[in-house]
């Protein structure tokens, strides 16, 4: 089956620093990737939709200058949390859609971000 | 809420019993998907049911979809302790966008 990886799996950083999270589709080309955020004991909230070669589409309430998304190739999308603050601490999950029936999304294992 | 609702929020059963989780939604959908998530881990795709389907089976899982009531249910039969996890329904609308429900925390006691 299709595999999506994320790197790093966890990261701890100081307040004010920027953190980059990578999402890769390992065995298929992903025309679209999605970024979700999940706070403890809550559901996944879609942050943005990333299409290769174009600007990401952000959901209402998500600051595009705070969460920079780059989808430079058909196998890689990156999310950069700029000037991170403790309230940005969360579980960030990406998913990728390839050329499969029903446009099934394949999810990465997630990245746990802790901002001190 | 854009997410719709899932119930129950939490469910605790004994091994061998069946577990039923429900999901409702508000807008029209292309399909509805069920996912499982173990604590602190990624999502595992369980079943996708299309809007023109009414029931689907996969092993011990049975999913139903009632588009007139805008609801779906996930039934896990003969539950096992290893089924303990959070279960989410996700509604796919346009452009492959998924809207997740609040989730049900299932605990299966040995």
């Amino acid at each position: 089956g299709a595999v999506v990886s994320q790197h790093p799996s966890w990261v701890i950083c100081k307040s004010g620093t920027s953190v980059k999270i990578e999402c890769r589709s390992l065995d298929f080309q992903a025309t679209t990737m999605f970024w979700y955020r999940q706070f403890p004991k809550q559901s996944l909230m879609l942050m943005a939709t990333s299409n290769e070669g174009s600007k990401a589409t952000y959901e209402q309430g998500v600051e595009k200058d705070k969460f920079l998304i780059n989808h430079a190739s058909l196998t890689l999308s990156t999310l950069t949390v700029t000037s991170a603050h403790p309230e940005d601490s969360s579980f960030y999950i990406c998913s990728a859609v390839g050329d499969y029936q029903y446009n099934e999304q394949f999810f990465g294992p997630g990245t746990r971000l802790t901002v001190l | 809420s854009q997410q719709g609702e899932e119930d129950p929020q939490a469910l605790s059963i004994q091994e061998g019993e069946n577990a039923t989780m429900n999901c409702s939604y508000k807008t029209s959908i292309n399909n509805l998907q069920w996912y499982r998530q173990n604590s602190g881990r990624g999502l595992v795709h369980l079943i996708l049911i299309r809007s023109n389907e009414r029931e689907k089976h996969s092993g011990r899982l049975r999913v139903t979809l009632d588009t007139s009531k805008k609801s779906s249910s996930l039934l896990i039969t003969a539950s096992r302790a290893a089924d303990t996890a959070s279960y989410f329904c996700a509604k796919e609308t346009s452009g492959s966008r998924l809207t997740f429900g609040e989730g049900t925390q299932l605990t299966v006691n040995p």
Side-chain angles (χ1 to χ4, degrees):
Chain A
V3 178
V4 175
S5 70
Q6 281 185 241
H7 178 81
S9 56
W10 60 270
V11 56
I12 302 173
C13 69
K14 293 182 178 180
S15 187
T17 60
S18 294
V19 174
K20 180 185 285 188
I21 303 170
E22 291 184 349
C23 177
R24 292 181 185 272
S25 56
L26 298 185
D27 49 4
F28 67 100
Q29 292 188 327
T31 52
T32 302
M33 289 184 171
F34 298 90
W35 286 96
Y36 297 84
R37 179 168 52 183
Q38 184 181 33
F39 292 108
K41 299 189 184 302
Q42 293 188 24
S43 187
L44 281 75
M45 294 293 294
L46 179 64
M47 298 175 67
T49 303
S50 169
N51 292 296
E52 187 266 339
S54 63
K55 290 183 179 180
T57 302
Y58 291 82
E59 296 297 305
Q60 191 173 7
V62 178
E63 300 174 56
K64 62 180 181 181
D65 295 329
K66 170 79 172 174
F67 299 99
L68 301 178
I69 292 173
N70 185 294
H71 194 158
S73 76
L74 285 172
T75 60
L76 174 64
S77 177
T78 60
L79 168 68
T80 301
V81 183
T82 62
S83 187
H85 291 283
E87 57 265 32
D88 298 323
S89 298
S90 186
F91 195 52
Y92 291 87
I93 304 175
C94 73
S95 70
V97 178
D99 188 18
Y100 292 96
Q101 193 177 22
Y102 308 134
N103 291 327
E104 182 179 348
Q105 289 189 32
F106 299 95
F107 284 81
T111 296
R112 174 76 57 193
L113 170 64
T114 303
V115 185
L116 302 177
Chain B
S1 166
Q2 288 184 331
Q3 293 182 310
E5 300 176 355
E6 280 188 62
D7 71 88
Q9 288 187 336
L11 180 60
S12 182
I13 59 175
Q14 295 299 123
E15 231 176 2
E17 294 180 338
N18 296 340
T20 300
M21 288 157 269
N22 303 296
C23 170
S24 65
Y25 56 94
K26 298 179 180 179
T27 61
S28 61
I29 59 172
N30 294 334
N31 61 63
L32 187 142
Q33 303 174 35
W34 285 90
Y35 290 84
R36 166 198 168 116
Q37 184 182 36
N38 287 75
S39 181
R41 307 292 293 275
L43 295 177
V44 175
H45 183 263
L46 297 177
I47 287 185
L48 180 153
I49 185 165
R50 288 184 291 169
S51 59
N52 62 353
E53 295 177 314
R54 292 298 168 258
E55 187 171 312
K56 231 175 172 179
H57 296 253
S58 177
R60 294 184 295 114
L61 306 180
R62 172 176 168 252
V63 168
T64 62
L65 179 64
D66 186 335
T67 52
S68 65
K69 295 181 180 178
K70 290 187 167 57
S71 67
S72 174
S73 67
L74 169 67
L75 169 68
I76 303 174
T77 60
S79 64
R80 306 166 181 167
D83 293 330
T84 295
S86 292
Y87 292 82
F88 295 94
C89 69
K91 287 77 71 175
E92 182 185 310
T93 53
S94 61
S96 302
R97 293 175 73 251
L98 291 180
T99 302
F100 282 82
E102 300 290 340
T104 295
Q105 173 60 51
L106 173 66
T107 302
V108 182
N109 302 299

